[in-house]
Amino acid sequence: MSRNFLAKHHQVSEQNLMDKANVSGPVAGTINLTIGDPDMVTDQRIIRDAFEDVLAGHTGYTHPQGDPELRDAIRDFYRKAYGLNLDDSQVFVCTAGNVAMYLAMQVLLDKGDEVLIPTPCFGSYFDQVELSGGVPVAVPTREEEGFRVTTAALEAAVTPRTKALIFNTPCNPTGVCYGVKDLEVIADFAKRHDLIVVADDIYTDISFDIPFTPICSLPGMMERSITINSFSKNYTMAGWRIGNMISTPEIISALTTFNNSVVFAAPSPSQRAALAALRHRDEVVPAVVEEYRRRVTYAAQRINALPGMRVLEPQGTFYLFPCVKPSGLTSAQATELLAKAGVLVVPGPAYGGEAGEGYLRISCTVPMEQLKEAFDRIEAIPEFGKAR
């Protein structure tokens, strides 16, 4: 483990925030709006099917590439949802999206290779690139441009050492969703500079108004994409730690080989749960997505009624990325004030440094009653409730 990685112990981590939420805080009943872990229990149909499969003997190693039955179901999903006809050699089952990104970076990068990362972004991207010997290059986005990365910003960041671009839509933490025309711009940029796009697609269904399209489905992009998907968010299965990747046969083979030295294969009970999730997809996912839409819509209305905060209209995910600049506070100051009021959030700089300063990430992964209480507490803070 590198000294640089160890030196980052001071940075905000979701684990640290979870620990704080699990102890007595300054206010009884601290409300944790930090972690992207859905509060809803996995649907009973998924649990029941997985339990029956475990009782039937699915407790050993699977094929290193993944349970063949699950791989077939994943291929069927991509065919029906996005018109992609995948060969079995293009599918890999992994232990959740976070491990998938780590594997992708390890397989792709040589020492000194640069990876473009639009920010604000999921903070682990930077660590995963560095742990693989690469150099993360932040490409800031701006609220005034809807937190969408621009071609000009990408062109300013690319160099001869650039190997890949990490791309996330719907986006954690901003909630921005990219449509097909946006994706075409990204794809054109990747082709012109001969880059691999590592698409973090783990919030696919939680796109409220813009139909989700995987960038790998665009012409000429399958051969230059690694697509990551996960069952954690869409199916409220975060604790099962299961996901999948699709790419070219060559990349999938390399991922499988490297993963042999990491975990060999994803847990077989979790793979059976993923198979059940795909079977019950139409019964499970719509209600989950609608609940998240209800929560973020409510939270955004409460935020935009505050003189000291503002936020863009929700587009997707269960996150909001409100701006606290109208209050005159920094992200750290705002986070501290909220914690004293019994509401835990993540300061924006945890998601990409300068691009996140002046913002907070709020995760709407608590029931509506707690969300209401959280915003009642926020509204009572003078810095947020006072007139501009």
Side-chain angles (χ1 to χ4, degrees):
M1 188 175 294
S2 72
R3 291 181 180 178
N4 286 340
F5 185 78
L6 290 171
K8 292 183 178 180
H9 69 276
H10 65 281
Q11 290 187 339
V12 173
S13 74
E14 289 188 337
Q15 181 59 55
N16 289 339
L17 291 161
M18 287 179 72
D19 290 342
K20 289 180 182 178
N22 290 332
V23 300
S24 298
V27 174
T30 297
I31 300 171
N32 186 3
L33 304 181
T34 66
I35 189 74
D37 182 7
D39 62 300
M40 292 176 274
V41 175
T42 302
D43 189 276
Q44 291 296 306
R45 287 164 287 200
I46 297 172
I47 295 173
R48 202 171 295 119
D49 286 1
F51 179 67
E52 292 297 330
D53 282 351
V54 169
L55 288 177
H58 288 276
T59 60
Y61 291 131
T62 68
H63 188 284
Q65 195 179 326
D67 183 324
E69 196 174 356
L70 176 56
R71 298 201 313 262
D72 284 345
I74 291 167
R75 291 168 59 204
D76 188 55
F77 161 72
Y78 275 102
R79 179 180 60 80
K80 289 179 179 177
Y82 308 117
L84 287 172
N85 293 310
L86 301 171
D87 187 79
D88 182 63
S89 62
Q90 292 179 267
V91 178
F92 172 67
V93 179
C94 54
T95 46
N98 217 8
V99 171
M101 184 62 73
Y102 171 76
L103 295 175
M105 294 300 103
Q106 289 286 345
V107 165
L108 279 180
L109 302 181
D110 293 315
K111 186 174 177 60
D113 284 344
E114 296 175 0
V115 179
L116 304 184
I117 307 175
T119 58
C121 69
F122 181 50
S124 291
Y125 295 158
F126 286 84
D127 291 336
Q128 290 160 336
V129 170
E130 290 179 350
L131 287 169
S132 304
V135 179
V137 178
V139 184
T141 65
R142 293 153 42 98
E143 181 185 0
E144 307 90 274
E145 296 167 334
F147 288 119
R148 278 175 163 74
V149 68
T150 65
T151 303
L154 289 169
E155 292 289 355
V158 71
T159 77
R161 292 305 308 267
T162 306
K163 174 74 72 69
L165 164 68
I166 294 177
F167 185 71
N168 174 219
T169 181
C171 178
N172 171 15
T174 63
V176 66
C177 297
Y178 288 72
V180 172
K181 291 190 179 300
D182 301 310
L183 297 179
E184 289 172 344
V185 172
I186 301 295
D188 179 65
F189 171 79
K191 291 174 186 176
R192 283 189 286 106
H193 293 282
D194 193 25
L195 305 181
I196 297 291
V197 175
V198 184
D200 191 3
D201 286 357
I202 73 169
Y203 299 94
T204 54
D205 288 300
I206 316 175
S207 180
F208 303 134
D209 299 313
I210 298 175
F212 175 79
T213 302
I215 196 168
C216 68
S217 67
L218 272 57
M221 286 305 295
M222 179 60 75
E223 55 265 39
R224 62 173 63 254
S225 298
I226 299 177
T227 299
I228 295 169
N229 208 334
S230 168
F231 292 82
S232 294
K233 314 300 184 180
N234 295 337
Y235 300 92
T236 67
M237 291 173 60
W240 296 84
R241 311 314 295 140
I242 191 72
N244 65 265
M245 306 171 77
I246 63 172
S247 190
T248 64
E250 294 78 15
I251 289 177
I252 294 298
S253 176
L255 290 166
T256 305
T257 300
F258 186 85
N259 194 55
N260 283 340
S261 299
V262 177
V263 69
F264 183 72
S268 52
S270 296
Q271 294 196 55
R272 300 308 294 183
L275 179 61
L278 290 172
R279 287 173 175 165
H280 294 292
R281 172 180 169 77
D282 292 341
E283 306 157 80
V284 172
V285 173
V288 171
V289 173
E290 189 53 39
E291 176 62 14
Y292 287 138
R293 181 200 289 265
R294 188 170 76 100
R295 292 182 187 182
V296 296
T297 299
Y298 170 79
Q301 289 171 347
R302 291 293 301 267
I303 289 168
N304 284 327
L306 295 170
M309 276 192 195
R310 66 171 183 262
V311 72
L312 297 178
E313 289 301 311
Q315 297 177 32
T317 75
F318 41 68
Y319 305 115
L320 292 173
F321 202 61
C323 179
V324 297
K325 295 175 184 178
S327 71
L329 299 172
T330 66
S331 295
Q333 290 168 336
T335 303
E336 186 175 352
L337 271 181
L338 289 168
K340 288 178 179 177
V343 180
L344 296 181
V345 300
V346 187
Y351 300 96
E354 292 182 8
E357 178 50 53
Y359 297 86
L360 309 171
R361 191 191 76 168
I362 291 176
S363 183
C364 297
T365 50
V366 298
M368 281 294 292
E369 297 75 19
Q370 288 190 46
L371 267 185
K372 291 175 182 177
E373 173 61 25
F375 281 103
D376 287 346
R377 295 179 185 182
I378 294 170
E379 189 175 6
I381 299 172
E383 285 80 359
F384 297 126
K386 70 184 179 184
R388 288 192 180 94

